[in-house]
Amino acid sequence: MATDETTAILWLRRDLRLADNPALNAAAEADRVVPVFILDDSLLGRPMGAASLWWLDKSLRALAGALEDKGAPLILRRGDSEAELRRLVEQTGAARVCWNRLVEPEAAERDGDIRQGLEADGVEVEVFDGLTLAKPGTIRTQTDGPYKVYTPFANALWKAAEPPPHTTGPRQMKSVSRLQSDDIDDWKLHPTRPDWSKDFDGTPGEDGAKAALRRFLDGALDDYADGRDIPGKLGTSRLSPHLHWGEISPWRAIEAARDSRGPAAQADKFASEVAWREFSAHLLHDFPQMVEKAFRPEYDRMPWRTDAEGLEAWKRGQTGYPIVDAGMRQLWAAGWMHNRVRMIVASFLIKDLLIDWREGEAWFWDTLVDADLANNVQNWQWVAGSGADAAPYFRIYNPVTQGEKFDGDGAYVRKWVPELSRLDRRWLHAPWTAPAEALERADVKLGRDYPRPIVDHAEARKRALDALKSVGSSDAED
């Protein structure tokens, strides 16, 4: 395509925003910008989960509208990323391609190959860090190694990382006309027959991210350190899917919390949670094998059980432990689960049922709208005791006491396990201990309306500790 105007392709992946988008800002320096999203099932080494596709569908629609208003319509393509990028370069005569860096091992390797190929053909490639607080691989120990413990990593991060200047994105852009683009309806990212997403929480898109941040600052931030552990209240930021899809910069979220009128200690706690997310991304960059293997190799010798019935009961929220079942039902209905409950349900699967953490990670990958490979793998391994800076394996959450401590009034269980809604709070988290008359008053018959526990926690705890000793881990309890 002969033209005197310069053209840049903006390759969007998980940076679905206009503000604080360094790749967009760089592309907009050209005379014409061609934003493209390529649905490439092989990009991350595994297909996206169904809940993630639901969120992506809405987020892309929102971004397409925003880009259309700016004068640069979003081009949608499906297929091999490199092939589609090359086709666009040929069709537009683009001399530059800009994108923001991904940390997933397969994506990073593929990006490197694409960059090398494009540059060999004379196309300039610019890669930016718009998804993390710092470029993975740059926060190093004094011996130039990766951090394996969170606190020193976070200390080094805050010393080394500098927030980039806030940008709102270009006011207007020009693009290339008559480019072929897929119809997003043809991608069928939204589920049908049946539509299991009707109760999903959240509003995908950059405006949705801004609204979620505002609600957090106006409501939950003042009591965040304690309130974030109570699943029955709106005590968390609910920003995780927005951060995963790049609908808001992590720097902007932290700065907004610190600039608010809320207590500084609460904003610092929120920043530390974003830094934990960052820690996971940096670990995945330096230890890509952790996706499939235990970070601490001895844990790959764990004598995991094959228990198809137990796994299915866990997935469906039918374990007989109300706080576990409430979490798993929230996940299925809403595509999201409260953070404290994520730890409880993960501990139950790994330690009460002695089922491999990879089974749980795969289920979360498919059912969470905020499914993030680095976070997902790191957090599952944290609970399993096999990860970096992980909880020791002998820390086994008791699902009854966890429910009583963090859902004392029973609001969370009553919402997601309605068959127990009339049961007195004294028995709510252990209904099998309730007197017959209490169950009768609540119209609950165990085994009919609600299952009996599929495992005895005390016995399961002993079994888990015996399994730990068999692998020779230093975590084994005396």
Side-chain angles (χ1 to χ4, degrees):
M1 174 181 291
T3 177
D4 293 331
E5 292 186 323
T6 59
T7 301
I9 292 172
L10 171 64
W11 184 21
L12 296 158
R13 286 91 68 78
R14 290 214 322 273
D15 45 356
L16 307 182
R17 65 179 187 268
L18 301 185
D20 304 302
N21 189 329
L24 169 60
N25 293 336
E29 294 173 359
D31 296 309
R32 300 187 302 183
V33 181
V34 180
V36 60
F37 182 91
I38 303 168
L39 187 61
D40 184 347
D41 291 332
S42 67
L43 185 62
L44 300 181
R46 60 166 90 171
M48 277 186 280
S52 291
L53 292 174
W54 176 90
W55 191 282
L56 176 63
D57 177 74
K58 282 74 188 163
S59 190
L60 283 177
R61 293 174 190 271
L63 181 64
L67 287 169
E68 184 80 33
D69 291 342
K70 298 289 185 181
L74 178 63
I75 303 300
L76 299 177
R77 300 281 176 90
R78 186 169 197 165
D80 179 79
S81 296
E82 182 170 12
E84 292 300 331
L85 284 174
R86 285 184 174 279
R87 189 152 67 98
L88 267 179
V89 168
E90 182 179 350
Q91 291 170 344
T92 63
R96 300 167 64 200
V97 179
C98 305
W99 67 71
N100 287 307
R101 194 183 320 274
L102 297 176
V103 301
E104 291 81 0
E106 289 83 358
E109 182 179 359
R110 185 175 182 83
D111 285 1
D113 292 341
I114 293 174
R115 179 175 190 167
Q116 185 177 20
L118 289 174
E119 289 180 337
D121 290 343
V123 178
E124 180 184 1
V125 175
E126 293 187 277
V127 182
F128 301 89
D129 293 288
L131 306 180
T132 53
L133 298 171
K135 179 182 177 181
T138 62
I139 307 300
R140 314 304 280 180
T141 66
Q142 291 184 349
T143 58
D144 197 31
Y147 282 95
K148 300 179 183 179
V149 179
Y150 168 71
T151 299
F153 168 83
N155 292 336
L157 173 70
W158 299 132
K159 288 179 181 178
E162 291 288 338
H166 175 56
T167 61
T168 58
R171 290 187 176 182
Q172 203 68 24
M173 294 180 283
K174 289 175 61 179
S175 191
V176 178
S177 60
R178 296 187 297 278
L179 287 173
Q180 179 270 329
S181 176
D182 290 355
D183 186 333
I184 194 170
D185 289 340
D186 293 338
W187 286 1
K188 301 186 184 305
L189 304 180
H190 187 97
T192 57
R193 300 180 183 177
D195 183 354
W196 38 258
S197 69
K198 61 183 183 301
D199 295 322
F200 269 22
D201 285 347
T203 303
E206 188 170 10
D207 287 344
K210 293 176 182 176
L213 178 62
R214 177 49 51 196
R215 285 193 299 271
F216 173 54
L217 300 179
D218 291 344
L221 178 59
D222 284 353
D223 188 39
Y224 178 73
D226 294 325
R228 64 183 296 274
D229 272 330
I230 310 301
K233 65 181 291 186
L234 295 175
T236 64
S237 73
R238 298 303 297 268
L239 285 171
S240 55
H242 300 293
L243 286 167
H244 170 74
W245 288 107
E247 296 165 352
I248 187 171
S249 158
W251 275 118
R252 293 290 83 76
I254 289 173
E255 289 185 334
R258 288 177 170 166
D259 291 343
S260 72
R261 297 179 180 179
Q266 303 296 330
D268 288 344
K269 178 60 179 174
F270 173 68
S272 74
E273 294 302 314
V274 179
W276 176 265
R277 175 182 181 273
E278 184 84 2
F279 182 47
S280 299
H282 287 243
L283 282 171
L284 184 61
H285 172 270
D286 285 305
F287 304 98
Q289 70 274 15
M290 65 187 279
V291 174
E292 297 295 339
K293 297 182 179 180
F295 186 87
R296 298 171 61 182
E298 67 268 25
Y299 278 85
D300 276 330
R301 299 195 298 268
M302 282 290 292
W304 301 116
R305 297 173 61 246
T306 299
D307 181 2
E309 290 185 4
L311 178 60
E312 188 65 18
W314 176 81
K315 289 180 177 179
R316 302 303 175 194
Q318 295 289 334
T319 68
Y321 286 92
I323 191 70
V324 174
D325 294 339
M328 299 308 295
R329 295 184 194 186
Q330 180 187 29
L331 173 61
W332 183 254
W336 185 86
M337 189 195 300
H338 187 276
N339 179 66
R340 165 58 59 175
V341 186
R342 293 189 196 201
M343 293 189 287
I344 296 171
V345 304
S347 178
F348 186 86
L349 182 75
I350 294 167
K351 298 172 182 179
D352 284 65
L353 298 183
L354 207 61
I355 291 176
D356 193 331
W357 62 267
R358 282 159 278 234
E359 294 280 3
E361 191 271 329
W363 184 247
F364 272 27
W365 178 262
D366 191 44
T367 54
L368 281 170
V369 294
D370 61 6
D372 180 280
L373 190 61
N375 281 348
N376 213 23
V377 169
Q378 160 69 352
N379 288 330
W380 271 94
Q381 291 221 42
W382 186 89
V383 175
S386 63
D389 200 13
Y393 191 89
F394 58 77
R395 182 179 295 169
I396 300 174
Y397 291 123
N398 183 318
V400 175
T401 57
Q402 288 285 305
E404 292 171 344
K405 181 177 181 180
F406 297 108
D407 189 36
D409 62 1
Y412 184 70
V413 164
R414 294 184 200 282
K415 177 177 181 178
W416 296 107
V417 190
E419 59 267 42
L420 298 179
S421 61
R422 296 172 58 191
L423 189 61
D424 190 282
R425 60 186 295 180
R426 289 174 295 176
W427 323 110
L428 185 61
H429 293 288
W432 63 92
T433 66
E437 57 271 22
L439 291 170
E440 186 175 354
R441 283 197 303 271
D443 194 24
V444 175
K445 183 175 177 58
L446 295 179
R448 181 196 67 186
D449 305 308
Y450 185 71
R452 296 181 182 277
I454 63 173
V455 65
D456 179 273
H457 175 69
E459 294 177 0
R461 184 178 187 277
K462 181 179 184 304
R463 180 176 63 186
L465 293 174
D466 288 343
L468 175 65
K469 292 176 182 178
S470 75
V471 306
S473 170
S474 60
D475 281 348
E477 198 176 44
D478 293 330

